[in-house]
Amino acid sequence: MSNSPSYKPNSAPRTFHVMTKPIGPLCNLDCKYCFYLEKEKLFPSGENYRMRDEVLEAYVRRYIQSQNTPEISFAWQGGEPTLMGLDFFRKVVALQRQYAGGRPVNNSFQTNGTNLDEEWCRFFARENFLVGLSLDGPEHIHNRYRVDKGGAGSFGRVFAAMELLKKWRVEFNTLTCVTRQSPDEAVEIYGFLKKHGVKFMQFIPIVERAGDRAAHAVGLELAAPPDLRADDNPDGMMPWAVSPEGFGQFLCKIFDEWIKADVGRVFVNLFDVALSAWCGMEPNLCTFSRRCGQAVAMEHDGGIYSCDHYVYPSYYLGNIMEQSLEEMVYSKEQAKFGNDKWDALPNYCRECEFLFACNGECPKHRFMKTPDGEPGLNYLCAGYKTFFKHIDPKLREMAALVQKGRPAADIMKTDAAPAVPPKASAEVGRNDRCPCGSGKKFKKCCGK
């Protein structure tokens, strides 16, 4: 192994993100809604799915060299990455120090938590890992779908892992899957997480179809277990998939709880992203950005794919052992993949008042038709419209506070002044962004 390179920043850093799967699709749980377990069929029979040392070394070295930024961020997922063992991640940290050239290195680590113990948490604390913990809520909700290979619920082990993370003061967030039942349980879920000290929350909609064409192309098929199979399912959705309206209701209920007393104390990623949009900035979360393609996935064998949700042969970009990351991430194929997010957007979306906040959301959810029959409408569209309409008044106020140099949390104070729409001036054109911070065009906002 060569000595670590020195870091020479350029004026215009280029960066991209790699979601790394060192154990591939292997997991010790058998969550009923998991879309990734069947990726085993993409690899030869007998594959052990463990990232080899030479692949790890090449990846760490080449990824660091490709990141022309003051800090470097790695992301480790699965499957379940703890199955690689703690020694593997000790090796990760050693390689990062060798090649980083003195730059700070950050690691995020998504886990189901069932294998975490004192030794893991001591390591996370010492090496400043950010841990994402999959936790769907209280026991009766979490155990509905998050079960082990024997069908037993995993809540007890996950809750114990959360307590260990808090004990060792490891920074962590929770990832909560939103399913068909979640809208009726929204307040209970939020209250449970808040009660147990969760400060950073992510809510992920479960949108899975039984007839995924991309999956069929490689012999993969998401099949519902017999006890969950729905005979009356005309839209081809899995029985655990959240409905569009249900997802919107879920977010509205969580927002109403959060806005009462938790702004600035509890952080919900969807609310943070929405506020940035209402402040006139393009959302920085890939699902809501105008274009994507800067977040690829790497499998255990070094194979690079366009996105974590597009790990199929037709979206294979190459292998880290044969090509540089820059060649693959900035290839014509990946550029088209990223640009299609905007270029293929239906007119129905382009004319939507909330385009500035949504941008069509994730392409993997765009399998519906618009009211006039145009393909490419997001399955969750109706839910997002409900949510954005619901939060619009409060986010206008929060954006106005931010523009005045005040914290958004001031909205919880009784003396917080509501936003006053600015008067039109010669400097604000009808097609300019509205100065109120809504992110809309002036003519569709305060200039009406």
Side-chain angles (χ1 to χ4, degrees):
M1 296 180 183
S2 61
N3 293 328
S4 60
S6 59
Y7 172 57
K8 297 180 180 179
N10 291 333
S11 58
R14 299 173 80 193
T15 186
F16 53 86
H17 178 75
V18 179
M19 184 180 289
T20 318
K21 299 175 177 290
I23 197 68
L26 294 192
C27 187
N28 60 325
L29 293 187
D30 196 18
C31 301
K32 297 172 184 177
Y33 50 49
C34 182
F35 74 95
Y36 215 83
L37 293 177
E38 291 192 353
K39 299 295 183 184
E40 292 181 30
K41 296 180 182 178
L42 287 170
F43 302 98
S45 176
E47 178 80 35
N48 69 5
Y49 300 99
R50 295 182 64 85
M51 183 176 286
R52 304 190 313 274
D53 286 350
E54 57 268 32
V55 175
L56 174 63
E57 190 276 336
Y59 167 56
V60 171
R61 172 170 48 84
R62 293 181 179 184
Y63 181 67
I64 288 175
Q65 290 172 350
S66 72
Q67 298 297 292
N68 193 23
T69 52
E71 295 187 5
I72 305 158
S73 297
F74 284 81
W76 307 94
Q77 297 210 4
E80 174 47 46
T82 58
L83 295 180
M84 288 298 295
L86 190 48
D87 284 345
F88 175 84
F89 289 98
R90 291 190 178 110
K91 190 178 303 179
V92 164
V93 171
L95 287 168
Q96 290 171 342
R97 289 190 177 120
Q98 178 179 352
Y99 290 114
R103 280 185 284 172
V105 176
N106 304 311
N107 287 282
S108 61
F109 190 98
Q110 183 64 41
T111 176
N112 61 41
T114 57
N115 289 332
L116 297 189
D117 56 18
E118 299 273 354
E119 190 176 13
W120 272 104
C121 292
R122 185 184 302 115
F123 171 79
F124 289 148
R126 184 176 65 248
E127 302 299 342
N128 295 313
F129 272 53
L130 168 63
V131 175
L133 184 68
S134 297
L135 178 61
D136 283 355
E139 185 169 9
H140 67 282
I141 295 174
H142 179 92
N143 284 347
R144 182 182 293 137
Y145 296 121
R146 300 195 64 80
V147 297
D148 62 21
K149 302 296 185 183
S154 60
F155 176 83
R157 287 171 287 170
V158 178
F159 188 85
M162 181 173 66
E163 294 303 300
L164 278 176
L165 291 170
K166 290 190 287 188
K167 172 186 174 180
W168 284 95
R169 298 185 179 180
V170 177
E171 187 177 354
F172 75 97
N173 59 57
T174 53
L175 188 153
T176 300
C177 292
V178 183
T179 64
R180 177 172 56 88
Q181 298 90 344
S182 298
D184 293 332
E185 302 163 340
V187 174
E188 182 182 6
I189 291 170
Y190 181 77
F192 170 84
L193 296 174
K194 179 182 171 182
K195 174 184 175 182
H196 292 287
V198 178
K199 301 297 184 184
F200 300 89
M201 306 177 188
Q202 298 182 64
F203 296 104
I204 308 298
I206 295 297
V207 179
E208 298 297 341
R209 293 180 294 166
D212 189 304
R213 288 181 296 172
H216 280 300
V218 291
L220 304 181
E221 183 174 357
L222 286 169
D227 61 324
L228 289 174
R229 198 164 286 143
D231 296 326
D232 182 19
N233 192 15
D235 296 324
M237 301 303 297
M238 301 304 283
W240 44 73
V242 66
S243 70
E245 297 80 5
F247 186 56
Q249 292 166 11
F250 177 88
L251 293 178
C252 290
K253 291 177 182 178
I254 298 286
F255 183 86
D256 288 347
E257 292 297 305
W258 175 77
I259 200 71
K260 293 176 186 175
D262 296 334
V263 182
R265 300 186 181 102
V266 174
F267 299 89
V268 179
N269 69 330
L270 286 177
F271 302 167
D272 289 344
V273 172
L275 178 57
S276 71
W278 259 259
C279 286
M281 297 179 285
E282 182 177 341
N284 60 6
L285 187 64
C286 67
T287 51
F288 296 111
S289 63
R290 179 169 288 200
R291 302 182 189 277
C292 61
Q294 300 299 298
V296 298
M298 187 178 85
E299 271 289 344
H300 64 287
D301 61 354
I304 304 292
Y305 295 83
S306 291
C307 171
D308 176 45
H309 294 283
Y310 287 82
V311 179
Y312 298 109
S314 55
Y315 295 95
Y316 176 75
L317 299 173
N319 193 288
I320 191 71
M321 304 301 289
E322 300 166 357
Q323 297 172 259
S324 73
L325 281 164
E326 293 94 332
E327 283 182 280
M328 294 180 278
V329 175
Y330 299 121
S331 65
K332 291 187 296 184
E333 294 79 9
Q334 185 65 359
K336 184 179 185 304
F337 173 83
N339 289 333
D340 280 350
K341 185 177 191 294
W342 176 260
D343 296 344
L345 204 60
N347 288 330
Y348 181 79
C349 296
R350 296 179 189 276
E351 296 171 357
C352 177
E353 62 179 315
F354 297 115
L355 177 63
F356 73 97
C358 174
N359 287 308
E361 211 246 6
C362 185
K364 75 185 179 76
H365 295 154
R366 296 184 189 174
F367 50 83
M368 305 294 285
K369 289 186 177 181
T370 66
D372 58 0
E374 189 177 4
L377 181 66
N378 197 294
Y379 169 78
L380 295 170
C381 175
Y384 279 120
K385 280 189 173 181
T386 296
F387 173 59
F388 291 143
K389 287 178 181 177
H390 183 76
I391 67 175
D392 179 66
K394 291 296 184 183
L395 287 198
R396 283 173 178 264
E397 292 184 36
M398 294 169 75
L401 288 168
V402 171
Q403 289 176 339
K404 294 174 183 176
R406 295 171 61 184
D410 278 359
I411 195 171
M412 297 183 299
K413 296 181 179 179
T414 56
D415 62 345
V420 178
K423 295 180 180 179
S425 73
E427 296 179 0
V428 182
R430 282 174 49 77
N431 292 310
D432 291 341
R433 287 289 179 101
C434 187
C436 78
S438 70
K440 303 177 184 179
K441 290 183 179 180
F442 181 68
K443 66 183 180 183
K444 290 189 176 182
C445 190
C446 298
K448 284 185 178 180

